[in-house]
Amino acid sequence: MARTADPVLKQELLDQVVRYLADHGIGMLSLNPMAVALGMSRHRLNHHFGQRHELIDAALCRATEIQEELQAKWFVTNPNMGQPELFRRWWQWLIADPSNLALVRLGLEAATLDATVTGVSIAIRADQIGVWRTKIERRLIAAGVPQKAAALEATNAKATFTGLVVDLMASGETQRLTKALDDYLEQFQQRILVLSR
């Protein structure tokens, strides 16, 4: 009879997998080198997570969960934080440590690589962008922005922020990109003030 995976151990292993994938990516992932790097057997990985695509799906969900937990902590200390300030918090977190940017890059890689390359399901791929856009839209609606306008503003805001993150990954030019983000957020804040009247 097969042993049931220990949920605590599985969570610890999953966090290690997330860190590995953030550093190495998922496009060319091979389980054998990853298992060696993590000091375990491939059999142990398969025992806890199943096949390659199931492991990647679990890691991507966990990466999103890690970011959601971080954001929840920010709201505990500042429950009235608006969307522009939240974007600034995310940006400061991204540029504070290369491992933070790597974690976000993992989600972008999953969203942009074809499923035939990664085996990642379309629902998981869509969540890498959609979950954040949806949360932005809900916050804008809560601030009084009509639903249709909130959906459009959330889409534009998420696309702009994602574009800046991709530029940051490619260029590393934090000063230029921070200024671009600040300029965008000033315009964004003005539109939200008008739309929420």
Side-chain angles (χ1 to χ4, degrees):
M1 187 165 138
R3 290 183 302 149
T4 304
D6 179 328
V8 174
L9 177 58
K10 183 175 180 177
Q11 183 68 42
E12 291 171 359
L13 292 177
L14 185 56
D15 286 346
Q16 291 178 46
V17 168
V18 168
R19 285 191 294 274
Y20 179 90
L21 293 179
D23 290 340
H24 296 88
I26 58 175
M28 302 296 289
L29 175 65
S30 175
L31 294 185
N32 288 331
M34 180 171 71
V36 170
L38 298 178
M40 65 186 71
S41 69
R42 178 173 175 164
H43 173 75
R44 186 174 178 200
L45 281 176
N46 290 135
H47 172 70
H48 285 284
F49 302 108
Q51 299 302 310
R52 178 182 182 272
H53 71 278
E54 294 170 307
L55 181 143
I56 294 173
D57 282 1
L60 291 170
C61 288
R62 177 62 183 145
T64 299
E65 188 178 79
I66 289 168
Q67 294 170 73
E68 289 178 323
E69 289 168 357
L70 175 65
Q71 182 171 279
K73 289 178 184 175
W74 292 341
F75 275 107
V76 167
T77 58
N78 186 358
N80 298 317
M81 180 168 34
Q83 189 61 53
E85 186 178 348
L86 181 58
F87 274 131
R88 288 187 179 95
R89 290 292 298 268
W90 275 117
W91 187 256
Q92 290 306 313
W93 176 80
L94 279 169
I95 65 176
D97 190 316
S99 66
N100 297 341
L101 185 58
L103 184 67
V104 171
R105 183 180 60 234
L106 177 61
L108 293 176
E109 182 184 7
T112 56
L113 284 177
D114 191 87
T116 57
V117 174
T118 63
V120 177
S121 69
I122 190 150
I124 298 290
R125 289 172 59 214
D127 272 354
Q128 300 308 305
I129 297 295
V131 68
W132 301 109
R133 185 201 53 77
T134 302
K135 288 177 184 294
I136 295 166
E137 181 180 335
R138 288 179 186 153
R139 279 191 290 277
L140 294 179
I141 291 170
V145 177
Q147 193 278 324
K148 283 188 179 179
L152 183 59
E153 288 295 333
T155 299
N156 288 333
K158 177 57 183 156
T160 299
F161 194 81
T162 300
L164 292 171
V165 171
V166 171
D167 195 330
L168 177 63
M169 291 186 297
S171 71
E173 295 180 20
T174 57
Q175 187 173 359
R176 172 179 62 85
L177 295 169
T178 300
K179 177 67 168 75
L181 177 65
D182 286 341
D183 286 353
Y184 169 76
L185 290 178
E186 285 180 19
Q187 298 168 31
F188 175 78
Q189 181 64 50
Q190 290 303 314
R191 285 196 305 277
I192 298 311
L193 287 172
V194 170
L195 289 168
S196 59
R197 288 179 183 157

